[in-house]
Amino acid sequence: MEGIEILIRKRTDFTSAAALKQFLNPLLEPFQLSHPEIRILHKSKNHALLISHKHRKGSRFLQHWQLLKLWRLPKWHFEGETLTVKLSAGSPNPFLIRVLQREEKLRLLQSYEQALPPSTSTNPAVVSPREFGVSSLTYGTWEYLEAEPHYHPYFELSIDATVTFGDRYFVLVFQVEAIENSENNSYASNGDGHFDDGARRSSSDTINLIRDHPNGDDESRHTEITKVIDRLSDDHNEDNKVISRLSDDDKEVNKAIEHPSNDDNEDNVYRHKLVYPYSAVASIALDPEGDHAVICTMTEAPKMWMNGIRGIGLKGLSLQIATSCQVYRFRLSDPSDIRHLLRLEHQGVFPQCSIGPVSAVQSSEFFVDQVMQLKTALNDPVHEFTFAVKFQVQKLAQNGYLSPRAVIALIQFVSFLQQRNGQASTVAALRRLFQQLPYPGPMTKATELDQKAVVDLLNQNIEALAEESAYPYAETPDVLTIHRAEITPTAIYLAGPDVEEGNRVLRKYAGFSEHFLRVTFMDEDGETFYFDKNFSNTDIFHWRFKEILNDGVEVAGRLFKFLGFSHSSLRAQTCWFLAPFIHDGKPIDADMIISSLGDFSHIRSPAKCAARIGQAFTETSSSTPIDPACVHEMEDVERNGRCFSDGVGTCSLSVLEELQAVQKSSQLPATVFQIRIAGAKGVISLDNRLEGDVLRLRPSMIKYRGSEDWRIEICGVASRMLPLVLNRQLIKILEDLEIPNKSFEDLQEHAINELRGSVSSVTNAAAFLERHDVGLSTQTTWLLRKMHSLGLALSDDIFFRDLLDAMVLVQLQQIKYKTRIPVQEGATLYGIMDETDTLAEGEVFCSWIDREGRAHQASGVVVATRSPALHPGDIQTAKAVAVPNESPLSALHNCIVFSSRGARDLPSQLSGGDLDGDLYHVIWDETLIPQSCREAASYPREPPLDIGRPVTRRDMSEFFVQFMEQDQLGRVATQHMVLADQHEPGTLDEDCIKLAELHSTAVDFSKTGKAIYDSQLPDACHNNHYRPDFMAPGRKVKVEEHGIIFEPEEVDILEDSDPRRAGEPRRKRYYESKKVLGILYRSIDERSFFKDLHDRSAVLKEDDTPSKGVLFDLWEYVEAEVAGLAWEQYAEEAVHMRETYEAMVYDIIFQYSTHPTEHLEEIEVFIGNIICRTGYRSKRQKEYMTGMKEKYDRHALSLMTAMRADDVTGEEFEALRRTMACLWVGIRKPAERKERVEGSRRRDTFGWIAAAACLKELEEYQEKRDVGPLRRLVRKLGLTAGR
């Protein structure tokens, strides 16, 4: 029997499980019953359970207690009462027992690693108190007066509060009494900046809007600020929701809000909790004198809760202050607590802080007044600011880089810069300034942040930019620069502009991209909002976000209003806003743009209408026009209520060649494209029987009519076969279909061995990087092969080692923590239908071309599936067949062709797939083909929600909010994975079958408007707090100067009530899975892997001097080959190119780092992957990786093109001379840069790009010169691989 459950009782309720556990620990120690689970029963709080995985030791403990009782020895007294102990009538949760077993293993492992006794190896006792009384909370900014930093408070809340410093967060908790219903809803100034709102409030609960007017005779200004106060109501309590608005003459609404929506607030008390993450701390100052305060400079606003509901602000706190005043001062109630805080800082509980007196000076103006003055200055026609410049200046203040007062002082100089240097240079100089400005505070000197320092930085940036003009990246209709706004529950931040792929609307109004704003709704930490049944986000969604969507957002003098969103941006909680403009003499607003897209009047579902309009907002890489006369319709293939041709059409060879021409890709010509045209969407494939220009669409592709935009837009290309990678869902279903564990273990072992082999030779390394698309834009893999052929020693190069280490780590993490296992005998392909009626039912035709250009076809029995797959019938088998050479199908490649025959189409059996762009997995690995498959699911198609009238933009924005609030797709998938592991039948279990159906409903939510609800989930999903170990976060990783450091795997044994867990969500606990996913997970040890990897590789040099190494050896080779070819005249241009490149790299590092003080490494930018350092890769990081890689590749390709330009000076071998200069500059020590990314190590990737460009040009030089028959013979034999 595994585990034991012991019942402990007393007459009155237990106070807490933690207190009981502390009492029991010394009693349990003689029985070696350490780290038991102690729980107080919810319904009988005088009953507690002691649960342990050590059944024998628990039984001995029980016997001991019974002997005490029998012999009438002293009884155990806890909280003044006698305890009763007996064996529980119930059985312990088997997964909890396995959790306890796993946690003990991890504790022992940590003890071994740290050479400490198990009892003290982790989670040492709290040496210092962590909870302290606070008498006031203040929002403010740092200002520099007389060369010293002074704290300027703008909002103060006098309260009786408690601040708790946990291990990852510090949390402020306080409560205030609710505002009584009063006829006088206005605040009245009492003359000293305090406001009396008529509330029944304790004397300590006072809100201050602070300014330096001690006599307080400006009551009229207070009245103006608070002239609009709206009292909202709901069905139960009209006084629960209160909003105070601050208005100016332009009717700009600046909110000061307290907006609880808790109908059960019986005691009329609002309990507030503010959570501040240490990861967002820029600096902490402790003031042991004066106010005895803690002053925290943050990079994001705290998350707020009110009576357990996520809140959106504090009473009297304006939007401007919440956004821009992110320096928080906590005045301690007990001055002596400072010494405890110093001890906590010494213990490393929170970041290192400055210690000393901090002067607090009340400002002479309200913060709102400063914001209004800045707005007035920006809109002053004297300055003639363009929108792009205004945006950056507003961003300086709004994002909290500088105070509004400091920005106002810069206005005149910025105006001068724009007049002298133009918009582009001024914007670029301001954007670079964001990277250079240090965080203000006691540890930052005034000389780094005063007006002179900022002006000097801007001048330096202008000078540098004038030289960094070697390879400007031009905006085109397919790639535009877009400004962004980020909306959080308490703030609005500005971002960009960033280069993005265009869409139909942006292309149509290409010259007006500044009137489009990409708006993302996010939590305070930048992460996406997820459904959480433990608390409500109602106020955030239906008050804060909905008002932004309905009323718009003002940016740089323009009011942007909701326009629309694409399907992908809906899931990313991002949409488009528009500011009206004049185009061809006509005013253009959001309604006009939507009406110009097509006829949507017949659609009565907001979700469906938004999806149709969203087709125009889908990002597409390029487009080409087509004559409408060439576009024809053909019938769908339908049978038994099923559409076999759902979303697929055909085109002639000439149309296909047009698409290939605009694609500008070096890949092999594609025969399958995913497109948008007019009101149609889907996939088209080549039909070489068609003559002339012909595009054939089907009714299933045409989603609406009335569009006059006859351009074929490309949003996907089958230019190559995509690799097949198994994931957890596919592995679990295959396991349940009786595929043996050994099949997966062998595949994983093969993948691990490939990673080991990637460092065994340069050839393997180049192939490994190439497979993962690393360095394609910079020709890195070609360079590695070329250098190896020249006999250059790469194994000693630090950059080469770091490059491989980083990519190996990324792939190893994917295998271990995501169970993403590559399958060599498999492919991922676009799906289309057999237009020739050649294939019989159950047959498929699979054709693809590999990287070397060789054609392949699958044959025999294959597995066909697609992701995500949750139902056991989502995996089916088919027969792959060959077709005659004269068949039109033989001209197709990189696709799977499904039969048009039979009772039911195969795509719909594979997770409800269709042919409008879905990717399908095809496996011909015999070890993964099941003997039999389960019947595919057949879910009835849900009709879209019908509102009975034409859909408006407000309806669509309402749906946008509803989707954010109710989308549970991720939760259902997670619960399915957990239950599939916990239930013996796995995915065949009825609970998993139910979750698979709910998952299908959740997938369609974005199109039907029909959400799933918590009550629909199986009972096993509720209160299931245990997860299999393969779902646990990974090890924390540090990227150090001499390699990668793995930290020990953590075990979280702290109770949820422990102050060290302050601010953290309820802990997730993990058990060892006995199924194949757990076996695969535990078979990989990253530290052992990397130790073995480095033991096999050559010992690296200690010298990391940039002027030595393989690039220096390459320079000597090039110099010898060109025999004195002059290059020095290009040295200055090469320096400018390097400076431009480095500025771009640091811009990317700054933009895509998710931590304010821990920045990305340059090597991460180069490989296009963000290393998972914290054990968990957030959705934000995943999205960042895509944008980061695209941005870097665009600029790196532009740099390569500029380096190799041979038509600028007209000089012979111009490109070779320039690339030689770039290589020479690249191996020299880089110039020092003043950026706020000092934590990022430089790896000087510019030199490697220059090396590739130089060797490419050298090859052409050698071709043109008579270099002797021997070298020609060498080239003929293929030793110059990669040409």
Side-chain angles (χ1 to χ4, degrees):
M1 180 179 179
E2 284 193 351
I4 189 170
E5 186 174 273
I6 299 172
L7 180 66
I8 304 173
R9 293 184 303 173
K10 69 185 186 79
R11 283 189 304 105
T12 59
D13 292 351
F14 288 102
T15 55
S16 71
L20 178 59
K21 186 172 185 177
Q22 186 176 5
F23 169 78
L24 290 174
N25 275 338
L27 303 176
L28 300 172
E29 188 173 353
F31 305 94
Q32 297 180 319
L33 207 60
S34 57
H35 304 289
E37 185 82 2
I38 304 293
R39 292 187 176 174
I40 297 173
L41 302 185
H42 291 295
K43 294 184 178 179
S44 303
K45 295 188 180 297
N46 64 329
H47 290 65
L49 293 176
L50 183 155
I51 307 167
S52 174
H53 61 287
K54 303 174 181 178
H55 184 268
R56 290 179 55 191
K57 294 175 181 178
S59 298
R60 286 177 53 210
F61 168 75
L62 264 180
Q63 292 169 2
H64 175 75
W65 188 89
Q66 289 168 351
L67 287 173
L68 291 178
K69 183 180 179 182
L70 180 66
W71 295 342
R72 298 187 178 183
L73 294 175
K75 299 177 180 178
W76 294 337
H77 292 274
F78 175 67
E79 296 179 344
E81 296 183 31
T82 302
L83 296 181
T84 302
V85 181
K86 70 174 184 177
L87 185 67
S88 170
S91 299
N93 184 314
F95 294 104
L96 173 57
I97 296 302
R98 287 162 65 180
V99 164
L100 295 173
Q101 290 171 339
R102 177 178 181 270
E103 289 176 351
E104 182 177 47
K105 284 184 181 180
L106 292 178
R107 276 191 292 269
L108 290 171
L109 181 62
Q110 286 185 339
S111 302
Y112 173 77
E113 291 171 347
Q114 300 174 10
L116 296 173
S119 59
T120 59
S121 63
T122 60
N123 300 308
V126 181
V127 177
S128 299
R130 300 237 183 171
E131 298 181 359
F132 308 97
V134 170
S135 60
S136 74
L137 164 67
T138 307
Y139 286 60
T141 62
W142 291 106
E143 301 279 357
Y144 286 84
L145 305 174
E146 299 177 354
E148 292 296 328
H150 295 263
Y151 180 66
H152 277 219
Y154 289 103
F155 171 85
E156 181 175 7
L157 187 63
S158 297
I159 45 176
D160 183 9
T162 300
V163 63
T164 303
F165 290 89
D167 287 342
R168 294 182 177 89
Y169 305 86
F170 61 98
V171 180
L172 185 76
V173 177
F174 61 93
Q175 63 184 38
V176 295
E177 295 182 10
I179 300 172
E180 292 181 342
N181 190 8
S182 171
E183 292 183 2
N184 178 16
N185 288 336
S186 299
Y187 289 113
S189 168
N190 63 10
D192 61 356
H194 293 67
F195 289 86
D196 181 7
D197 56 11
R200 182 161 49 80
R201 189 187 297 275
S202 66
S203 60
S204 63
D205 297 334
T206 306
I207 298 171
N208 299 338
L209 291 180
I210 303 171
R211 70 176 188 176
D212 192 15
H213 276 250
N215 295 327
D217 56 359
D218 194 8
E219 185 170 331
S220 61
R221 177 57 182 153
H222 292 296
T223 303
E224 177 188 351
I225 292 177
T226 61
K227 66 183 179 182
V228 179
I229 298 180
D230 294 332
R231 191 174 295 274
L232 303 180
S233 62
D234 56 31
D235 294 337
H236 303 284
N237 187 349
E238 291 188 351
D239 301 320
N240 264 353
K241 301 180 180 179
V242 178
I243 177 168
S244 167
R245 294 187 178 180
L246 305 173
S247 302
D248 62 15
D249 293 337
D250 295 325
K251 297 184 179 179
E252 176 183 85
V253 179
N254 307 302
K255 300 173 190 63
I257 51 181
E258 178 178 333
H259 182 227
S261 57
N262 185 358
D263 298 330
D264 301 320
N265 187 18
E266 296 177 355
D267 54 1
N268 284 328
V269 172
Y270 295 137
R271 298 173 180 85
H272 296 263
K273 181 171 76 171
L274 277 64
V275 178
Y276 302 80
Y278 292 135
S279 61
V281 171
S283 67
I284 295 181
L286 297 181
D287 182 1
E289 305 173 17
D291 285 340
H292 302 93
V294 183
I295 302 98
C296 298
T297 304
M298 307 292 292
T299 61
E300 66 189 43
K303 294 183 180 179
M304 299 184 184
W305 277 263
M306 198 179 315
N307 291 353
I309 298 173
R310 279 296 302 274
I312 53 177
L314 298 173
K315 181 68 178 177
L317 179 62
S318 73
L319 178 63
Q320 290 96 333
I321 293 177
T323 301
S324 305
C325 297
Q326 292 186 0
V327 184
Y328 307 95
R329 182 182 63 176
F330 307 92
R331 183 183 294 147
L332 298 175
S333 302
D334 183 352
S336 65
D337 284 341
I338 282 287
R339 72 177 186 274
H340 296 304
L341 288 170
L342 290 171
R343 192 173 294 126
L344 289 177
E345 187 257 2
H346 179 69
Q347 294 170 3
V349 172
F350 52 78
Q352 184 177 2
C353 54
S354 64
I355 303 167
V358 176
S359 175
V361 179
Q362 289 188 353
S363 174
S364 60
E365 296 173 303
F366 280 110
F367 193 83
V368 174
D369 288 341
Q370 295 182 41
V371 172
M372 295 309 304
Q373 291 170 18
L374 175 58
K375 176 182 175 182
T376 301
L378 283 174
N379 292 326
D380 190 334
V382 171
H383 301 303
E384 297 181 342
F385 282 131
T386 64
F387 171 82
V389 173
K390 270 193 208 179
F391 184 93
Q392 301 302 327
V393 175
Q394 181 177 335
K395 179 179 171 184
L396 265 177
Q398 188 156 319
N399 289 23
Y401 291 100
L402 296 172
S403 69
R405 182 186 292 110
V407 176
I408 291 170
L410 289 173
I411 289 285
Q412 194 66 40
F413 181 71
V414 175
S415 176
F416 165 73
L417 288 183
Q418 179 182 284
Q419 293 173 20
R420 185 188 67 181
N421 301 96
Q423 171 184 294
S425 294
T426 305
V427 167
L430 287 167
R431 293 196 68 181
R432 190 167 297 182
L433 184 67
F434 300 138
Q435 305 170 26
Q436 298 165 324
L437 291 174
Y439 290 103
M443 291 184 282
T444 300
K445 298 177 182 178
T447 52
E448 298 179 74
L449 265 179
D450 61 16
Q451 184 177 354
K452 180 181 181 303
V454 176
V455 168
D456 287 345
L457 283 173
L458 285 172
N459 273 323
Q460 293 169 18
N461 292 344
I462 289 290
E463 292 174 5
L465 287 163
E467 298 174 345
E468 296 171 10
S469 57
Y471 65 105
Y473 192 83
E475 182 175 297
T476 70
D478 293 324
V479 181
L480 304 102
T481 52
I482 301 297
H483 294 81
R484 295 183 291 114
E486 297 170 346
I487 314 294
T488 76
T490 61
I492 297 178
Y493 303 105
L494 304 181
D498 295 312
V499 174
E500 296 190 14
E501 281 191 341
N503 58 49
R504 184 178 304 176
V505 176
L506 292 176
R507 286 192 184 94
K508 184 174 181 179
Y509 302 105
F512 297 87
S513 61
E514 288 182 352
H515 289 262
F516 293 85
L517 186 70
R518 195 174 179 96
V519 177
T520 302
F521 295 85
M522 59 181 62
D523 211 338
E524 304 294 356
D525 57 5
E527 291 299 331
T528 303
F529 273 98
Y530 292 100
F531 177 89
D532 193 325
K533 67 183 182 68
N534 295 317
F535 59 84
S536 170
N537 288 318
T538 299
D539 286 358
I540 293 173
F541 292 130
H542 290 279
W543 177 248
R544 168 77 166 140
F545 290 173
K546 186 178 288 186
E547 188 165 55
I548 294 287
L549 286 161
N550 290 340
D551 297 345
V553 57
E554 185 173 340
V555 176
R558 291 178 183 170
L559 180 61
F560 290 84
K561 290 199 169 185
F562 172 77
L563 175 61
F565 50 85
S566 67
H567 181 263
S568 60
S569 70
L570 173 64
R571 294 204 174 276
Q573 299 178 358
T574 298
C575 56
W576 289 100
F577 277 42
L578 175 78
F581 57 91
I582 304 297
H583 180 254
D584 291 340
K586 298 177 182 178
I588 302 295
D589 61 13
D591 289 325
M592 291 192 65
I593 286 180
I594 290 175
S595 64
S596 71
L597 295 176
D599 180 12
F600 308 101
S601 60
H602 62 288
I603 302 176
R604 297 293 190 264
S605 166
K608 184 176 180 180
C609 187
R612 298 297 174 249
I613 293 172
Q615 290 176 211
F617 295 105
T618 300
E619 290 185 0
T620 49
S621 59
S622 53
S623 66
T624 184
I626 187 171
D627 187 340
C630 300
V631 181
H632 307 278
E633 286 190 37
M634 58 179 173
E635 293 182 354
D636 274 306
V637 178
E638 296 179 314
R639 193 178 305 111
N640 301 326
R642 302 282 181 179
C643 183
F644 286 66
S645 58
D646 191 1
V648 66
T650 61
C651 69
S652 63
L653 179 61
S654 60
V655 170
L656 194 78
E657 289 172 342
E658 275 296 315
L659 296 175
Q660 291 168 351
V662 300
Q663 191 56 28
K664 307 182 187 74
S665 173
S666 60
Q667 301 286 345
L668 293 167
T671 58
V672 176
F673 285 81
Q674 186 182 11
I675 66 161
R676 303 285 188 270
I677 179 171
K681 64 186 285 281
V683 164
I684 57 172
S685 63
L686 170 65
D687 185 344
N688 57 17
R689 298 171 299 180
L690 300 176
E691 297 180 356
D693 290 346
V694 179
L695 174 64
R696 300 203 303 175
L697 307 176
R698 287 190 164 96
S700 61
M701 303 175 70
I702 301 170
K703 306 303 181 181
Y704 63 90
R705 299 185 184 273
S707 174
E708 298 300 325
D709 195 322
W710 294 103
R711 297 183 67 86
I712 305 177
E713 300 171 295
I714 302 172
C715 49
V717 186
S719 56
R720 61 172 178 164
M721 177 268 285
L722 299 175
L724 172 65
V725 180
L726 292 180
N727 55 39
R728 290 174 181 168
Q729 294 167 336
L730 292 175
I731 291 171
K732 189 71 197 77
I733 294 176
L734 287 170
E735 178 190 28
D736 297 335
L737 294 178
E738 301 182 356
I739 297 297
N741 290 358
K742 189 176 185 305
S743 298
F744 306 110
E745 292 171 330
D746 289 347
L747 283 173
Q748 180 168 283
E749 183 61 27
H750 178 77
I752 295 298
N753 287 334
E754 278 207 333
L755 290 182
R756 290 193 181 100
S758 67
V759 301
S760 63
S761 71
V762 175
T763 301
N764 287 353
F768 167 67
L769 296 173
E770 203 165 59
R771 281 197 304 273
H772 297 289
D773 295 337
V774 174
L776 298 183
S777 61
T778 55
Q779 299 285 323
T780 301
T781 54
W782 175 87
L783 173 66
L784 294 177
R785 293 186 178 102
K786 180 67 177 177
M787 295 172 86
H788 180 61
S789 72
L790 296 173
L792 301 178
L794 281 159
S795 61
D796 290 341
D797 189 80
I798 293 291
F799 173 81
F800 181 64
R801 189 278 311 270
D802 281 359
L803 178 66
L804 286 181
D805 271 4
M807 271 311 297
V808 168
L809 174 61
V810 167
Q811 295 307 314
L812 187 67
Q813 288 177 330
Q814 287 290 296
I815 295 173
K816 180 174 176 67
Y817 296 110
K818 294 298 180 182
T819 328
R820 292 184 57 80
I821 304 175
V823 178
Q824 301 298 320
E825 296 183 51
T828 300
L829 305 165
Y830 276 101
I832 61 174
M833 189 192 73
D834 174 16
E835 302 286 349
T836 67
D837 197 31
T838 300
L839 302 175
E841 181 180 5
E843 290 184 341
V844 295
F845 171 67
C846 301
S847 171
W848 68 94
I849 296 178
D850 63 22
R851 289 179 180 272
E852 285 71 40
R854 294 172 300 204
H856 301 268
Q857 292 181 5
S859 62
V861 179
V862 298
V863 167
T865 184
R866 62 182 287 269
S867 295
L870 279 75
H871 191 279
D874 288 341
I875 291 180
Q876 298 292 320
T877 56
K879 182 181 180 182
V881 298
V883 296
N885 292 335
E886 62 273 14
S887 170
L889 298 183
S890 65
L892 301 173
H893 52 256
N894 298 330
C895 61
I896 174 172
V897 184
F898 294 100
S899 171
S900 61
R901 302 181 189 178
R904 180 180 176 183
D905 60 303
L906 183 55
S908 70
Q909 300 179 56
L910 310 178
S911 304
D914 55 34
L915 303 176
D916 71 351
D918 287 357
L919 293 169
Y920 292 87
H921 306 308
V922 184
I923 305 172
W924 54 92
D925 186 330
E926 293 181 356
T927 66
L928 296 178
I929 299 176
Q931 293 298 312
S932 63
C933 297
R934 295 285 172 155
E935 184 180 354
S938 181
Y939 306 128
R941 181 163 292 184
E942 287 282 345
L945 190 66
D946 191 333
I947 62 173
R949 57 171 173 78
V951 176
T952 65
R953 274 194 308 117
R954 177 160 291 204
D955 292 326
M956 290 185 287
S957 68
E958 293 268 357
F959 171 68
F960 187 87
V961 172
Q962 180 195 3
F963 188 86
M964 281 195 290
E965 182 181 28
Q966 298 179 2
D967 177 32
Q968 298 194 57
L969 184 64
R971 181 188 177 204
V972 172
T974 298
Q975 289 296 328
H976 181 275
M977 184 59 61
V978 172
L979 295 190
D981 186 81
Q982 293 180 354
H983 294 178
E984 189 58 35
T987 57
L988 304 176
D989 185 85
E990 61 180 14
D991 283 346
C992 291
I993 297 293
K994 175 63 174 176
L995 286 170
E997 181 178 1
L998 291 175
H999 189 271
S1000 176
T1001 303
V1003 166
D1004 290 338
F1005 177 26
S1006 59
K1007 293 178 256 186
T1008 65
K1010 294 183 177 180
I1012 63 170
Y1013 298 96
D1014 190 60
S1015 59
Q1016 296 176 266
L1017 270 64
D1019 292 340
C1021 295
H1022 302 290
N1023 299 315
N1024 185 356
H1025 304 299
Y1026 313 119
R1027 295 184 175 185
D1029 54 353
F1030 59 80
M1031 298 180 75
R1035 292 180 186 268
K1036 292 184 178 179
V1037 176
K1038 291 182 180 178
V1039 183
E1040 301 288 356
E1041 184 69 26
H1042 296 293
I1044 294 167
I1045 307 297
F1046 294 95
E1047 296 188 4
E1049 190 171 354
E1050 290 186 351
V1051 50
D1052 189 352
I1053 62 170
L1054 297 178
E1055 300 290 340
D1056 289 320
S1057 59
D1058 193 296
R1060 286 170 286 181
R1061 286 189 55 86
E1064 296 186 32
R1066 179 168 182 164
R1067 59 178 174 155
K1068 295 182 177 67
R1069 303 175 72 182
Y1070 303 90
Y1071 60 86
E1072 286 192 0
S1073 168
K1074 297 178 181 179
K1075 297 188 177 179
V1076 69
L1077 289 171
I1079 295 169
L1080 295 171
Y1081 168 80
R1082 292 187 296 276
S1083 67
I1084 298 175
D1085 185 313
E1086 308 100 305
R1087 287 182 304 175
S1088 298
F1089 175 88
F1090 267 88
K1091 183 179 183 303
D1092 178 62
L1093 201 69
H1094 291 154
D1095 287 346
R1096 292 166 181 258
S1097 60
V1099 177
L1100 297 173
K1101 292 181 178 180
E1102 291 296 325
D1103 187 8
D1104 192 12
T1105 306
S1107 60
K1108 300 294 182 182
V1110 69
L1111 292 186
F1112 193 82
D1113 297 337
L1114 176 62
W1115 169 256
E1116 292 180 339
Y1117 164 77
V1118 172
E1119 239 188 348
E1121 285 292 305
V1122 298
L1125 184 71
W1127 55 267
E1128 290 83 359
Q1129 65 270 36
Y1130 293 92
E1132 186 176 355
E1133 182 184 358
V1135 170
H1136 297 164
M1137 283 186 168
R1138 176 176 182 154
E1139 289 173 348
T1140 307
Y1141 172 80
E1142 290 184 345
M1144 178 272 295
V1145 169
Y1146 278 95
D1147 180 58
I1148 291 176
I1149 288 174
F1150 184 80
Q1151 179 181 350
Y1152 292 102
S1153 295
T1154 55
H1155 191 283
T1157 57
E1158 296 179 7
H1159 294 94
L1160 296 176
E1161 296 287 338
E1162 185 174 343
I1163 199 73
E1164 292 174 276
V1165 176
F1166 188 80
I1167 66 174
N1169 270 281
I1170 297 176
I1171 294 172
C1172 185
R1173 292 171 169 79
T1174 60
Y1176 168 75
R1177 177 172 286 158
S1178 67
K1179 186 174 181 180
R1180 182 186 182 190
Q1181 285 179 316
K1182 294 173 188 174
E1183 292 172 351
Y1184 272 13
M1185 282 198 302
T1186 302
M1188 180 182 76
K1189 181 172 178 57
E1190 288 176 353
K1191 183 172 182 177
Y1192 177 80
D1193 285 347
R1194 279 195 298 265
H1195 283 275
L1197 189 59
S1198 296
L1199 173 63
M1200 287 283 286
T1201 303
M1203 283 182 178
R1204 300 185 64 189
D1206 59 359
D1207 57 355
V1208 179
T1209 65
E1211 188 175 12
E1212 186 181 20
F1213 305 121
E1214 171 192 348
L1216 175 59
R1217 298 172 196 268
R1218 185 185 296 105
T1219 56
M1220 286 180 65
C1222 289
L1223 177 58
W1224 175 252
V1225 169
I1227 62 178
R1228 294 308 176 202
K1229 184 176 180 180
E1232 294 300 320
R1233 298 180 60 85
K1234 180 177 177 56
E1235 314 285 0
R1236 199 167 68 185
V1237 289
E1238 289 85 356
S1240 179
R1241 291 181 300 137
R1242 305 180 73 156
R1243 274 290 167 245
D1244 196 23
T1245 51
F1246 176 84
W1248 285 78
I1249 298 174
C1254 187
L1255 279 182
K1256 283 282 186 182
E1257 291 301 322
L1258 182 62
E1259 276 199 347
E1260 293 187 10
Y1261 172 85
Q1262 292 168 336
E1263 291 283 352
K1264 294 176 182 178
R1265 291 294 178 94
D1266 183 9
V1267 292
L1270 178 60
R1271 196 174 298 262
R1272 284 200 300 272
L1273 177 61
V1274 169
R1275 281 201 298 276
K1276 185 175 180 180
L1277 292 174
L1279 298 185
T1280 55
R1283 280 289 298 168

